[in-house]
Amino acid sequence: MSTQVSNTQGSVTQGFDLQTLRAVNSSAAFNRMARFDVAAAGGGEVTIRMTWHDEFSQYSGHLHAGMIAALLDTACGFAAATLVGSVTASHFAMNCLRPATGRHFIAKGSTVRAGRRQVFARAELLAADEHDQMSLVATGETVLVPVGGPSGKADGS
């Protein structure tokens, strides 16, 4: 199921709802391997949760920057998808603010602006300690391009 949203040019696009994003998430081999869980989605925002796994650590025992990037990029893409459907990134940047350690991680993505040709999104990655106290560990920004329906084909088929 999808939701209809008018973009900044006034045309109607099909955004993905929570159920659709969960299906998209489970269809991605990397997301399954990383065990990303789409906890909430809608209205240009998304929340993704990932539990700590030792195999995702780097040499100092922190979450690997590649996994940080994956969480931030996915949160940005899924936030945009709630408004415009399938997207692909054309630019991504992240800032690691502190070592990413914790029992689990929450990536919160939000759409800044959804245009017909480009969508701008940002995300924050929070780490929960043993007392579930959350700390901001990284931020990211992505420029995305709408690519059509769930299959990624421009004609939506």
Side-chain angles (χ1 to χ4, degrees):
M1 180 149 226
S2 60
T3 56
Q4 288 190 347
V5 176
S6 295
N7 66 17
T8 56
Q9 285 75 32
S11 61
V12 175
T13 58
Q14 297 292 321
F16 294 166
D17 62 7
L18 177 60
Q19 180 180 357
T20 302
L21 276 179
R22 284 181 171 159
V24 168
N25 184 58
S26 67
S27 73
F30 181 87
N31 293 15
R32 285 193 316 271
M33 181 272 306
R35 297 174 226 155
F36 290 174
D37 174 41
V38 182
E45 297 185 352
V46 72
T47 301
I48 298 171
R49 181 183 161 110
M50 185 191 83
T51 302
W52 171 264
H53 301 286
D54 287 337
E55 60 266 25
F56 300 149
S57 66
Q58 44 87 298
Y59 61 91
S60 295
H62 308 127
L63 187 64
H64 192 282
M67 190 57 68
I68 293 170
L71 281 160
L72 292 168
D73 178 58
T74 301
C76 286
F78 282 5
T82 67
L83 297 179
V84 302
S86 291
V87 293
T88 190
S90 66
H91 177 76
F92 172 76
M94 76 173 187
N95 297 297
C96 294
L97 307 174
R98 63 188 311 162
T101 58
R103 293 174 33 150
H104 67 270
F105 300 89
I106 303 290
K108 295 184 177 191
S110 62
T111 306
V112 176
R113 182 176 185 276
R116 195 173 28 154
R117 294 188 181 154
Q118 291 183 322
V119 180
F120 299 87
R122 67 175 143 227
E124 295 182 339
L125 183 63
L126 303 150
D129 68 14
E130 62 278 355
H131 304 291
D132 280 334
Q133 294 294 316
M134 303 299 286
S135 298
L136 180 65
V137 296
T139 62
E141 295 182 343
T142 307
V143 179
L144 303 122
V145 178
V147 294
S151 67
K153 295 180 182 176
D155 65 3
S157 60

